[in-house]
Amino acid sequence: MRSALEQAVMAGDRGEIPVGAVVLGPGGEVLSAAGNDRESSADPTAHAEVLALRRAAGRRGEWRLTGCTLVVTLEPCTMCAGAAVLARVDRIVYGAVDEKGGAVGSLWDVVRDRRLNHRPEVVMGVLAGECGEVLKRFFATRRIR
């Protein structure tokens, strides 16, 4: 999660919403890391999770990320939760809960939907306070006073 937090801080420094993600291989090695990049790339799908999953798949040379773990600082949205399911990651580890758009247990629970053919393990709340604080600081500097 510390690596994902570093990615989040770097994204925030670029003016992106500070969310970071890391994909770990079956042995715990870092396959990829990314921060949000929607503003810079003008790409609505450039969430940290999607970018990290794409890079990990590219590094492995296949789209199936079986045995891998997606670590992200904020609970994934529906797009990112769906991408993790489709990539067949074994587990999703996240920090802060997203009550407004989370799709891994908060607002929705895409990854545990029994109608889907793959359901990753979920570990929530890892360094949640620190992950949430990065977001709070970012948005505090953007509020109109």
Side-chain angles (χ1 to χ4, degrees), residues 57-97:
R59 183 163 178 200
R60 288 186 83 180
E62 64 177 316
W63 63 266
R64 288 178 189 87
L65 298 178
T66 306
C68 295
T69 299
L70 172 64
V71 180
V72 60
T73 58
L74 180 65
E75 179 182 358
C77 69
T78 53
M79 175 182 68
C80 295
V85 168
L86 293 172
R88 310 291 197 271
V89 298
D90 279 11
R91 77 196 46 78
I92 298 170
V93 176
Y94 70 88
V97 169

Side-chain angles (χ1 to χ4, degrees), residues 109-132:
D109 203 350
V110 171
V111 300
R112 292 186 194 103
D113 190 322
R114 293 186 177 274
R115 296 168 293 185
L116 299 175
N117 65 340
H118 180 73
R119 288 181 295 283
E121 173 189 357
V122 174
V123 178
M124 60 184 276
V126 176
L127 298 179
E130 290 181 52
C131 293

